[in-house]
Structures are given as structure tokens and as C-alpha cells.
Amino acid sequence: MPFGGVVFDPSVSKTAEMNMTPRVKNMTAKPTIAAGYARALIELAVSKGASRQLLAVRSEIDLEDLQDQDNRISLAKYVALMRAGKELCNDPALALHFGEAFEIEELSIVGLIGQASETLADAFAQLNRYSRLAADIDGVAAGDRLVLSRIAGQLWLIDTRKNPNDFPEITESSFARMICRSRRAPGNAQFVKEVRFTHAAPAYRAEYERIFQVPVIFESDKNALLMRDDSWLTLKNPRPSRYVFGILSERAQALLKNLENSESVRARVERLLMPILHTGNANMALIAGKLGLSRQTLSRRLKVEGVTFERVLDDLRHKLALDYLSGKKVSVNETAYLVGFSDPAAFSRAFKRWTGTSPRRVRFHTAT
């Protein structure tokens, strides 16, 4: 079953889920992935005939960095590795086969925490905290990459990753891993009714049909799995262990802290601003307190990076406003609220300062 940051709210409507949740993550932090993913992908590619050294050269990955699977590898290098592997193995469906061959507990501590949880619902509640340890992917909200949402009475597991067609192999391998894992569960349960992808059908479409064994829709409006129902959330894990869970959680918390400390101060400020921006209370004192710093220290550290708190806040509002309006998801007044303006007129003045035009004109032109 899918392990990783998932939140479930059966009362969520399509409008609330798709329109009111910001989908822009850290603007300055570079995306990374756990080294365990790169190591396992190399092993699979080598088993299919690729040269280990050539894979390392093509991806610019130092193989010594893969000895500890909790190390971080830049997503750019992982993308290069995947594409080199597909070419050197002559296997265009390598990402699907990667998801089919490896379960997440073989790749990341995130999977081990899920395995030690008592139920899948418990796993989701805990793993929601640690999903970045598996993949800290750019273009995702400060919340969750994977979201369970009811839309028109149907339960969907939606991947909210932005610009997914830039690297659809992540979606391919993730969904293949989820579905193959569910079939290996006790009782050989099949919890998925349909799979949807935003990218076009590839030449190896037959492999999708073999692996997923349910209808597959391409060029959809979302990357998502249509679930049969939500009964699987109550399923018991076969080997839960509170002792192991505690040890793994402590380790994961330390890794997460290291990951957060590796971010720029600006990225950390942006991540903390995201969930409170709409309240209008996003001020420097509050963010400094969340970081455990004084206002003066936060100001000094941002100055080292060439910015001020006010500049970070202003830039974040600008980028989010463009994202909302260009996505045609919300009105101008709703956008003003979401980026922290109580007065739509003040938002319009700020937007004109950012772009030289009005928010209504931007929304009109993107809608036509």
C-alpha cells in the first residue's frame, strides 16, 4: 500500500481540495531523494545489463555516496540516472519495473516506519511527518504530496506534485510500487479500481496494463488512483512493533532535522509561512519563534543570504498569487485571502507592483 505523506479527509470537496490548498513548496531548496532509491535503481539496471560505472558517470553520482541509503542525492542526478538506465538497459519501462521490483521499506526508513505501525491509518498519520525523507520534491505544498480526497462520491489518492510531466517516471514507479505492494498483502487484496496519469500514453503501454491490472487512463487532469473504498485504512499490518517503531521514529526525526538544517534560511522561512499565510498573521516575530531564533538573529541570517524577511514574504505572495490565478482555480478575491490580504484593493495594488498589471487581467487572459 502507499507509504508516505498522505492525509485523509472524507469531507473534502473537489473545490476545497483542488482550489484552496497552495501547491508551491520551498522556492530555493534543491529537490533531493534518499540515496536508497538511487542505489536500488542502479542494482536493477545492472541486473538488466547496464554498466555500473557508466551509470555513475552518466548521472554524476559518486557510488560511495550510496553506501548509506539515508544520504541525500540531488533529484537532478536521480533523473539522469533513470534516463541513463532506460537507455543502457534498453528498457523504456524501467521506472515501472523499478516500482514492481522494490518495496519502499527496501529504499527508505519511511517504509520501515510504515511497516512497524499497527494499521495503515496509523502509518499514514506518522509517515505524514517523514515523507520528505523519501523524496523532498520541489513543487509540492508545505503539506502533503499524496492526498486522499473524495470527489463526486469517489475516493481518490492524488499525487499533487507540480509539473509531473517533466519527470513522469516518479509517478510511474510510485504507483507501480503501491499497487504491487497491495497485491502482495495478505488475501491478495486489490484496493484500486483505476489509475490515471497526466502524461500521454507511451509506446510501452502494455506494461502498464500488465502491472496495474486495472483500467489506465492517460492525459488525465490528475495523477491519481481511484480507490474501491476506504476499508483498507483499518487493515492491520502483519508485523507491527512499538519498540521498532520508536527506534525508527527517533532516527527519522534526526534525519528530518538534518534535512531541514541543510536548507537555506529563506527556504525554511518560506516553508513555515506557507500554512499560515492566509491568516494575515505571518510576521517576523512568529516565524523567528518557530525557528527558535530571536528576530535580530533571523534578520542577520537572512541578510547573509541577501534578503530580508519582508522580501521573502513579498516574493512568496507574488509567486503564489501567480500560481493561483494562472491555474484558474480561484477568484481574485479568494487569491487575495489565500496570500494574506484582508483587503482585495490592497492585493490589487501589490499585484500591479509585482507584475505591472491587474490580477483580473491575468486571470482573464489565462482563462481564455
mmCIF file of all heavy atoms in Angstrom, residues 273-300:
data_model
loop_
_atom_site.group_PDB
_atom_site.id
_atom_site.type_symbol
_atom_site.label_atom_id
_atom_site.label_comp_id
_atom_site.label_asym_id
_atom_site.label_seq_id
_atom_site.Cartn_x
_atom_site.Cartn_y
_atom_site.Cartn_z
ATOM 1 N N LEU A 273 6.000 29.832 6.481
ATOM 2 C CA LEU A 273 4.997 30.825 6.087
ATOM 3 C C LEU A 273 3.813 30.195 5.375
ATOM 4 O O LEU A 273 2.672 30.663 5.515
ATOM 5 C CB LEU A 273 5.635 31.877 5.162
ATOM 6 C CG LEU A 273 6.508 32.944 5.820
ATOM 7 C CD1 LEU A 273 7.233 33.757 4.740
ATOM 8 C CD2 LEU A 273 5.681 33.864 6.696
ATOM 9 N N MET A 274 4.060 29.147 4.606
ATOM 10 C CA MET A 274 3.028 28.577 3.746
ATOM 11 C C MET A 274 1.714 28.279 4.463
ATOM 12 O O MET A 274 0.648 28.735 4.037
ATOM 13 C CB MET A 274 3.545 27.306 3.067
ATOM 14 C CG MET A 274 4.570 27.554 1.988
ATOM 15 S SD MET A 274 3.862 28.292 0.511
ATOM 16 C CE MET A 274 2.756 26.995 0.009
ATOM 17 N N PRO A 275 1.719 27.516 5.561
ATOM 18 C CA PRO A 275 0.433 27.149 6.168
ATOM 19 C C PRO A 275 -0.265 28.268 6.924
ATOM 20 O O PRO A 275 -1.429 28.113 7.301
ATOM 21 C CB PRO A 275 0.826 26.001 7.113
ATOM 22 C CG PRO A 275 2.251 26.232 7.447
ATOM 23 C CD PRO A 275 2.857 26.844 6.211
ATOM 24 N N ILE A 276 0.415 29.394 7.164
ATOM 25 C CA ILE A 276 -0.217 30.474 7.930
ATOM 26 C C ILE A 276 -0.407 31.733 7.104
ATOM 27 O O ILE A 276 -0.939 32.730 7.611
ATOM 28 C CB ILE A 276 0.600 30.809 9.198
ATOM 29 C CG1 ILE A 276 1.985 31.361 8.828
ATOM 30 C CG2 ILE A 276 0.717 29.603 10.108
ATOM 31 C CD1 ILE A 276 2.760 31.917 10.017
ATOM 32 N N LEU A 277 -0.015 31.696 5.845
ATOM 33 C CA LEU A 277 -0.050 32.899 5.024
ATOM 34 C C LEU A 277 -1.457 33.484 4.947
ATOM 35 O O LEU A 277 -1.651 34.699 5.036
ATOM 36 C CB LEU A 277 0.464 32.567 3.628
ATOM 37 C CG LEU A 277 0.908 33.746 2.753
ATOM 38 C CD1 LEU A 277 2.058 34.489 3.403
ATOM 39 C CD2 LEU A 277 1.314 33.241 1.370
ATOM 40 N N HIS A 278 -2.455 32.614 4.817
ATOM 41 C CA HIS A 278 -3.831 33.090 4.637
ATOM 42 C C HIS A 278 -4.394 33.766 5.889
ATOM 43 O O HIS A 278 -5.394 34.474 5.811
ATOM 44 C CB HIS A 278 -4.735 31.920 4.249
ATOM 45 C CG HIS A 278 -4.949 30.946 5.361
ATOM 46 N ND1 HIS A 278 -4.009 29.989 5.692
ATOM 47 C CD2 HIS A 278 -5.980 30.788 6.240
ATOM 48 C CE1 HIS A 278 -4.462 29.289 6.717
ATOM 49 N NE2 HIS A 278 -5.643 29.739 7.069
ATOM 50 N N THR A 279 -3.763 33.563 7.044
ATOM 51 C CA THR A 279 -4.288 34.134 8.280
ATOM 52 C C THR A 279 -4.024 35.629 8.385
ATOM 53 O O THR A 279 -4.665 36.315 9.185
ATOM 54 C CB THR A 279 -3.671 33.450 9.509
ATOM 55 O OG1 THR A 279 -2.264 33.775 9.582
ATOM 56 C CG2 THR A 279 -3.839 31.932 9.435
ATOM 57 N N GLY A 280 -3.066 36.134 7.609
ATOM 58 C CA GLY A 280 -2.694 37.528 7.707
ATOM 59 C C GLY A 280 -1.790 37.820 8.893
ATOM 60 O O GLY A 280 -1.447 38.979 9.146
ATOM 61 N N ASN A 281 -1.413 36.770 9.634
ATOM 62 C CA ASN A 281 -0.583 36.954 10.827
ATOM 63 C C ASN A 281 0.853 36.482 10.605
ATOM 64 O O ASN A 281 1.558 36.162 11.564
ATOM 65 C CB ASN A 281 -1.181 36.182 12.005
ATOM 66 C CG ASN A 281 -2.543 36.711 12.403
ATOM 67 O OD1 ASN A 281 -2.758 37.922 12.420
ATOM 68 N ND2 ASN A 281 -3.464 35.816 12.722
ATOM 69 N N ALA A 282 1.269 36.421 9.346
ATOM 70 C CA ALA A 282 2.615 35.942 9.036
ATOM 71 C C ALA A 282 3.621 37.057 9.287
ATOM 72 O O ALA A 282 3.921 37.862 8.406
ATOM 73 C CB ALA A 282 2.679 35.479 7.581
ATOM 74 N N ASN A 283 4.119 37.131 10.513
ATOM 75 C CA ASN A 283 5.055 38.189 10.858
ATOM 76 C C ASN A 283 6.396 37.605 11.284
ATOM 77 O O ASN A 283 6.515 36.411 11.584
ATOM 78 C CB ASN A 283 4.489 39.083 11.965
ATOM 79 C CG ASN A 283 4.170 38.306 13.226
ATOM 80 O OD1 ASN A 283 5.065 37.874 13.950
ATOM 81 N ND2 ASN A 283 2.873 38.104 13.497
ATOM 82 N N MET A 284 7.392 38.453 11.322
ATOM 83 C CA MET A 284 8.751 38.014 11.583
ATOM 84 C C MET A 284 8.922 37.429 12.979
ATOM 85 O O MET A 284 9.621 36.431 13.169
ATOM 86 C CB MET A 284 9.713 39.180 11.377
ATOM 87 C CG MET A 284 11.174 38.795 11.408
ATOM 88 S SD MET A 284 12.210 40.192 10.953
ATOM 89 C CE MET A 284 13.829 39.419 10.986
ATOM 90 N N ALA A 285 8.263 38.021 13.964
ATOM 91 C CA ALA A 285 8.395 37.521 15.332
ATOM 92 C C ALA A 285 7.875 36.093 15.447
ATOM 93 O O ALA A 285 8.486 35.243 16.112
ATOM 94 C CB ALA A 285 7.644 38.442 16.292
ATOM 95 N N LEU A 286 6.752 35.820 14.783
ATOM 96 C CA LEU A 286 6.164 34.485 14.841
ATOM 97 C C LEU A 286 7.089 33.456 14.188
ATOM 98 O O LEU A 286 7.334 32.382 14.751
ATOM 99 C CB LEU A 286 4.807 34.491 14.137
ATOM 100 C CG LEU A 286 4.075 33.152 14.066
ATOM 101 C CD1 LEU A 286 3.759 32.644 15.469
ATOM 102 C CD2 LEU A 286 2.794 33.292 13.248
ATOM 103 N N ILE A 287 7.610 33.768 13.015
ATOM 104 C CA ILE A 287 8.475 32.829 12.301
ATOM 105 C C ILE A 287 9.793 32.633 13.042
ATOM 106 O O ILE A 287 10.298 31.512 13.145
ATOM 107 C CB ILE A 287 8.728 33.317 10.863
ATOM 108 C CG1 ILE A 287 7.415 33.391 10.084
ATOM 109 C CG2 ILE A 287 9.719 32.399 10.150
ATOM 110 C CD1 ILE A 287 6.653 32.085 10.002
ATOM 111 N N ALA A 288 10.336 33.715 13.580
ATOM 112 C CA ALA A 288 11.573 33.587 14.358
ATOM 113 C C ALA A 288 11.357 32.660 15.549
ATOM 114 O O ALA A 288 12.207 31.815 15.867
ATOM 115 C CB ALA A 288 12.040 34.967 14.828
ATOM 116 N N GLY A 289 10.209 32.793 16.221
ATOM 117 C CA GLY A 289 9.897 31.917 17.344
ATOM 118 C C GLY A 289 9.811 30.458 16.930
ATOM 119 O O GLY A 289 10.284 29.571 17.645
ATOM 120 N N LYS A 290 9.197 30.192 15.776
ATOM 121 C CA LYS A 290 9.088 28.818 15.289
ATOM 122 C C LYS A 290 10.460 28.224 14.977
ATOM 123 O O LYS A 290 10.667 27.013 15.076
ATOM 124 C CB LYS A 290 8.189 28.764 14.049
ATOM 125 C CG LYS A 290 6.703 28.983 14.335
ATOM 126 C CD LYS A 290 5.882 28.939 13.053
ATOM 127 C CE LYS A 290 4.390 29.098 13.329
ATOM 128 N NZ LYS A 290 3.833 27.931 14.042
ATOM 129 N N LEU A 291 11.389 29.090 14.577
ATOM 130 C CA LEU A 291 12.748 28.628 14.274
ATOM 131 C C LEU A 291 13.635 28.585 15.516
ATOM 132 O O LEU A 291 14.785 28.140 15.439
ATOM 133 C CB LEU A 291 13.381 29.551 13.233
ATOM 134 C CG LEU A 291 12.803 29.481 11.818
ATOM 135 C CD1 LEU A 291 13.371 30.613 10.953
ATOM 136 C CD2 LEU A 291 13.106 28.133 11.180
ATOM 137 N N GLY A 292 13.107 29.064 16.636
ATOM 138 C CA GLY A 292 13.899 29.089 17.855
ATOM 139 C C GLY A 292 14.965 30.174 17.835
ATOM 140 O O GLY A 292 16.023 30.036 18.467
ATOM 141 N N LEU A 293 14.682 31.272 17.117
ATOM 142 C CA LEU A 293 15.643 32.360 16.979
ATOM 143 C C LEU A 293 15.017 33.666 17.460
ATOM 144 O O LEU A 293 13.796 33.795 17.525
ATOM 145 C CB LEU A 293 16.056 32.535 15.508
ATOM 146 C CG LEU A 293 16.622 31.316 14.780
ATOM 147 C CD1 LEU A 293 16.802 31.643 13.294
ATOM 148 C CD2 LEU A 293 17.955 30.890 15.401
ATOM 149 N N SER A 294 15.859 34.645 17.752
ATOM 150 C CA SER A 294 15.364 35.988 18.006
ATOM 151 C C SER A 294 15.124 36.672 16.662
ATOM 152 O O SER A 294 15.647 36.244 15.626
ATOM 153 C CB SER A 294 16.380 36.798 18.812
ATOM 154 O OG SER A 294 17.546 37.043 18.018
ATOM 155 N N ARG A 295 14.358 37.741 16.667
ATOM 156 C CA ARG A 295 14.128 38.486 15.428
ATOM 157 C C ARG A 295 15.447 38.992 14.862
ATOM 158 O O ARG A 295 15.668 38.969 13.642
ATOM 159 C CB ARG A 295 13.193 39.665 15.675
ATOM 160 C CG ARG A 295 11.753 39.285 15.937
ATOM 161 C CD ARG A 295 10.880 40.526 16.022
ATOM 162 N NE ARG A 295 10.961 41.309 14.787
ATOM 163 C CZ ARG A 295 10.330 42.468 14.609
ATOM 164 N NH1 ARG A 295 9.591 42.977 15.585
ATOM 165 N NH2 ARG A 295 10.454 43.124 13.476
ATOM 166 N N GLN A 296 16.331 39.453 15.733
ATOM 167 C CA GLN A 296 17.595 40.006 15.274
ATOM 168 C C GLN A 296 18.458 38.937 14.592
ATOM 169 O O GLN A 296 19.083 39.181 13.564
ATOM 170 C CB GLN A 296 18.365 40.614 16.458
ATOM 171 C CG GLN A 296 17.725 41.861 17.058
ATOM 172 C CD GLN A 296 16.522 41.546 17.948
ATOM 173 O OE1 GLN A 296 16.263 40.387 18.294
ATOM 174 N NE2 GLN A 296 15.775 42.593 18.319
ATOM 175 N N THR A 297 18.458 37.712 15.196
ATOM 176 C CA THR A 297 19.259 36.633 14.613
ATOM 177 C C THR A 297 18.697 36.209 13.260
ATOM 178 O O THR A 297 19.449 35.993 12.297
ATOM 179 C CB THR A 297 19.298 35.424 15.569
ATOM 180 O OG1 THR A 297 19.888 35.830 16.807
ATOM 181 C CG2 THR A 297 20.121 34.291 14.974
ATOM 182 N N LEU A 298 17.374 36.084 13.175
ATOM 183 C CA LEU A 298 16.769 35.714 11.898
ATOM 184 C C LEU A 298 17.070 36.777 10.840
ATOM 185 O O LEU A 298 17.411 36.449 9.701
ATOM 186 C CB LEU A 298 15.259 35.543 12.062
ATOM 187 C CG LEU A 298 14.477 35.249 10.767
ATOM 188 C CD1 LEU A 298 15.005 34.000 10.083
ATOM 189 C CD2 LEU A 298 12.986 35.097 11.075
ATOM 190 N N SER A 299 16.952 38.046 11.220
ATOM 191 C CA SER A 299 17.241 39.124 10.279
ATOM 192 C C SER A 299 18.684 39.052 9.796
ATOM 193 O O SER A 299 18.965 39.207 8.599
ATOM 194 C CB SER A 299 16.985 40.476 10.942
ATOM 195 O OG SER A 299 17.300 41.532 10.062
ATOM 196 N N ARG A 300 19.595 38.768 10.704
ATOM 197 C CA ARG A 300 21.013 38.694 10.353
ATOM 198 C C ARG A 300 21.288 37.524 9.408
ATOM 199 O O ARG A 300 22.041 37.660 8.438
ATOM 200 C CB ARG A 300 21.848 38.574 11.629
ATOM 201 C CG ARG A 300 23.342 38.642 11.395
ATOM 202 C CD ARG A 300 24.105 38.807 12.695
ATOM 203 N NE ARG A 300 23.849 37.723 13.636
ATOM 204 C CZ ARG A 300 23.150 37.871 14.753
ATOM 205 N NH1 ARG A 300 22.606 39.028 15.065
ATOM 206 N NH2 ARG A 300 22.974 36.836 15.571
#
